């Protein structure tokens, strides 16, 4: 492969294919990295996806990837990026999408355990993908960095909160990128950008050493293919010392699920907004397309879903827990900066949510958590009653225009309400701790990707990967390319 053609010829390869080139000696890790950096320089000005970069350090990693201890890593030499949120990498900047932390030039003192595992898998991170401040909204338009744009339509959002990671993968800058999901933040940008977005079970991947597995969020990645998701999960899953929740171990490697047959499954379909809101016809049709494909694959498919999903009180309780997390984020920011923080340091919506958290009593939070525990048991009872999967649209509408969900000083909580209407299908499974995956199975008439969400019971990523692999064969998407050039 000629040096000048590497950036072009590897652009649309998934991470598994790029790693195979390295193993066969057809390219070096440094050549793959330089190709990704060249693509980033050319494409990212239109996207604003990779907001922090450390190219020279990444070159050192790429050169070092020939060491014996790294040679057997599944993704040796494959370039990637880390999300700019709660993914500390020793010596490298991280802003969590916050203006004050960006201005301070804060650098992480140590790696998170997941970052250690990403490095151990052989991946070579060269920067960070944009995130909204503290990952608090499902679009990526922070005051710190500005809007991240969708490669399929630059006037639309790439989604959030892992919007930078998703835009970079969808544009072909990198084949795989770290992401996290506290209310849909892997699945939402995957849907917006035409990618695979696997939200893992609570306790599947350690959040250590600084974060807790009992919170709403999990961390993993956005990928171009199902096989990349399976191989990365094999490389990074598992508990750490002192983890508060540990998912049951898989019966076999996840890559073996790509060809596994779990037999005839009982699958429910929810193709309308669970709380009575509007659902774009394209999103409804996406769920129905998936349902027909599952029937063609021989599964038992019905219009059925857990009744608690229609509980109108769920958004209020979820918001109470979400506000508590924003309050904790504000406190963490003050501790990191070593000073009190004020409204000039924090975006208006997050400041308002942190203020609401400050007014919340311990009893208020305890009640919200107690109701969340009941919701979790009631929703998961549907799976215990004999259902294997639930199919829904990932979102209630296609990717929104840039500027739809933004700070409103006159009504700081308006973005929360707008977001809630759009993302009603994703937050329940952060509360229940169940795994869910968004697959790019449908497209609008004007070429925008529409994701379909599959949800399994806790610990059943194996089932999601197996079915997703069959859907990828039946309704392939690898040939679709955004009109970015």
């Amino acid at each position: 492969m000629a040096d000048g053609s590497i950036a072009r010829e590897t652009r649309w390869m998934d991470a598994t294919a790029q790693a195979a080139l390295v193993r066969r000696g057809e390219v070096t890790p440094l050549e793959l990295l330089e190709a990704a950096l060249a693509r980033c320089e050319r494409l990212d000005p239109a996207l604003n996806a990779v907001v922090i970069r450390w190219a020279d350090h990444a070159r050192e990693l790429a050169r070092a990837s020939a060491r014996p201890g790294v040679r057997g890593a599944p993704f040796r030499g494959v370039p990637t990026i880390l999300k700019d949120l709660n993914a500390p990498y020793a010596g490298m900047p991280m802003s969590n999408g916050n203006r004050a932390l960006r201005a301070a030039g804060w650098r992480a003192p140590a790696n998170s355990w997941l970052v250690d595992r990403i490095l151990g898998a052989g991946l070579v991170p060269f920067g960070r993908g944009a995130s909204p401040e503290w990952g608090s909204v499902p679009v990526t338009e922070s005051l710190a960095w500005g809007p991240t744009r969708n490669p399929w339509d630059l006037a639309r959002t790439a989604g959030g909160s892992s919007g930078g990671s998703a835009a970079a993968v969808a544009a072909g800058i990198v084949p795989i990128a770290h992401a996290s999901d506290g209310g849909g933040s892997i699945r939402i940008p995957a849907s917006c950008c035409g990618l695979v977005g696997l939200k893992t079970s609570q306790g599947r991947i350690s959040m250590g050493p600084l974060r807790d597995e009992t919170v709403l969020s999990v961390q993993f990645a956005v990928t171009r293919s199902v096989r990349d998701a399976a191989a990365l999960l094999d490389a990074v899953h598992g508990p750490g010392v002192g983890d508060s929740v540990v998912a049951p171990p898989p019966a076999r490697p996840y890559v073996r699920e790509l060809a596994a047959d779990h037999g005839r499954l009982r699958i429910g379909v929810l193709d309308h907004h669970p709380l009575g809101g509007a659902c774009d016809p394209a999103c409804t049709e996406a769920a129905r397309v998936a349902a027909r494909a599952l029937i063609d694959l021989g599964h038992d498919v019905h219009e059925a879903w857990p009744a608690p999903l229609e509980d109108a009180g769920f958004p209020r309780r979820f918001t109470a827990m979400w506000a508590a997390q924003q309050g904790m984020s504000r406190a963490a920011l003050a501790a990191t900066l070593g000073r009190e923080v004020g409204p000039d340091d924090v975006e208006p919506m997050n400041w308002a949510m942190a203020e609401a958290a400050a007014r919340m009593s311990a009893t208020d939070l305890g009640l919200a958590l107690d109701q969340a525990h009941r919701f979790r048991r009631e929703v998961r009872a549907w799976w215990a009653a004999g259902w294997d999967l639930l199919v829904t649209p990932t979102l209630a509408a296609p990717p929104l225009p840039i500027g739809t969900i933004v700070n409103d000083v006159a009504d700081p909580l308006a973005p929360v309400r707008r977001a809630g209407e759009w993302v009603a299908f994703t937050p329940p499974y952060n509360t229940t701790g169940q795994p869910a995956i968004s697959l790019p199975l449908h497209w609008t008439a004007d070429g925008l990707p529409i994701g379909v969400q599959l949800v399994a019971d806790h610990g059943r990523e194996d089932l999601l990967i197996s079915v997703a692999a069959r859907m990828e064969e039946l309704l392939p998407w690898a040939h679709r390319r955004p009109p970015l050039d």
Side-chain angles (χ1 to χ4, degrees):
M1 191 178 292
D3 290 347
S5 68
I6 293 175
R8 181 179 67 255
E9 293 184 29
T10 61
R11 180 179 176 186
W12 301 115
M13 288 184 177
D14 68 1
T16 299
Q18 291 195 25
L21 292 178
V22 173
R23 282 195 301 275
R24 293 194 299 265
E26 296 180 31
V27 299
T28 67
L30 186 58
E31 288 171 331
L32 277 185
L33 174 64
E34 294 295 352
L37 291 172
R39 291 191 296 264
C40 191
E41 287 298 317
R42 181 168 66 88
L43 299 170
D44 196 56
L47 300 172
N48 191 35
V50 188
V51 293
I52 296 172
R53 302 176 198 177
W54 47 75
D56 288 342
H57 173 74
R59 291 183 178 108
E60 294 175 8
L61 288 178
R63 293 187 186 101
S65 67
R67 293 176 304 182
V70 184
R71 294 188 73 85
F75 294 110
R76 180 167 73 92
V78 176
T80 191
I81 58 174
L82 304 174
K83 184 177 179 179
D84 186 27
L85 179 69
N86 296 328
Y89 182 20
M92 299 301 134
M94 183 173 71
S95 78
N96 291 336
N98 173 262
R99 291 170 291 172
L101 208 56
R102 177 188 179 183
W106 184 81
R107 291 173 182 264
N111 296 353
S112 72
W113 293 343
L114 176 57
V115 167
D116 279 337
R117 294 175 185 182
I118 287 171
L119 296 171
L123 290 162
V124 179
F126 66 81
R128 292 195 181 276
S131 169
E133 185 179 76
W134 304 337
S136 60
V137 286
V139 296
T140 304
E141 302 179 34
S142 72
L143 296 180
W145 298 103
T148 296
R149 299 179 180 275
N150 193 320
W152 295 92
D153 181 347
L154 295 177
R156 294 179 182 269
T157 182
S161 62
S162 307
S165 291
V169 174
I173 295 173
V174 292
I176 192 169
H178 166 258
S180 59
D181 191 316
S185 292
I186 289 174
R187 293 159 288 162
I188 294 163
S191 178
C192 289
C193 293
L195 303 175
V196 176
L198 173 62
K199 172 217 171 288
T200 59
S201 296
Q202 188 180 53
R204 174 63 63 210
I205 298 171
S206 177
M207 298 284 282
L210 300 178
R211 295 180 64 78
D212 178 18
E213 292 75 28
T214 64
V215 297
L216 297 168
S217 185
V218 300
Q219 297 202 20
F220 186 48
V222 287
T223 64
R224 188 167 293 149
S225 64
V226 177
R227 69 178 184 174
D228 277 2
L232 184 64
L233 190 55
D234 278 329
V236 302
H237 81 84
V241 175
D243 282 4
S244 49
V245 178
V246 176
R252 56 191 172 191
Y254 288 110
V255 291
R256 290 180 57 188
E257 300 299 338
L258 296 169
D261 182 0
H262 288 268
R264 182 178 172 87
L265 302 177
R266 192 172 181 224
I267 300 173
V269 179
L270 172 63
D271 65 3
H272 58 275
H273 198 293
L275 300 176
C279 190
D280 189 279
C283 297
T284 295
E285 179 59 18
R288 292 174 179 172
V289 165
R292 291 193 292 268
L294 289 163
I295 291 170
D296 290 343
L297 289 170
H299 298 300
D300 185 20
V301 180
H302 303 271
E303 289 190 16
W305 53 88
L309 297 179
E310 298 174 329
D311 178 3
F314 171 77
R316 182 180 66 256
R317 296 191 295 272
F318 185 88
T319 300
M321 294 185 291
W322 200 246
Q325 291 200 20
Q326 306 318 307
M328 292 170 65
S329 295
R330 184 173 72 175
L333 176 65
T336 300
L337 297 175
R339 63 172 175 82
E340 291 187 7
V341 296
D344 290 340
D345 299 306
V346 178
E347 295 190 16
M349 188 201 78
N350 289 337
W351 184 266
M353 294 191 77
E355 288 290 281
R359 294 190 297 270
M360 193 184 304
S361 70
T363 301
D364 292 334
L365 180 58
L367 288 171
L369 291 172
D370 181 67
Q371 291 167 339
H373 297 157
R374 294 184 186 186
F375 178 83
R376 181 182 68 231
R377 289 189 173 95
E378 291 169 356
V379 170
R380 286 173 56 178
W382 187 79
W383 275 264
W387 295 91
D388 295 299
L389 294 176
L390 176 66
V391 176
T392 79
T394 304
L395 293 166
L400 300 176
I402 295 286
T404 302
I405 299 175
V406 292
N407 283 288
D408 184 343
V409 176
D411 186 0
L413 294 181
V416 180
R417 295 192 295 273
R418 294 177 189 134
E421 295 168 0
W422 187 42
V423 304
F425 294 100
T426 58
Y429 311 106
N430 296 88
T431 298
T432 66
Q434 293 172 255
I437 192 169
S438 181
L439 301 174
L441 299 179
H442 192 58
W443 305 79
T444 66
D446 52 352
L448 292 175
I450 301 289
V452 173
Q453 177 178 238
L454 308 180
V455 188
D457 201 5
H458 184 260
R460 294 307 308 271
E461 286 91 340
D462 60 329
L463 203 56
L464 289 181
I465 289 169
S466 174
V467 173
R470 299 290 79 70
M471 299 290 274
E472 187 176 24
E473 294 171 354
L474 194 62
L475 299 169
W477 55 79
H479 63 288
R480 295 184 180 269
R481 311 280 166 80
L484 187 59
D485 295 330

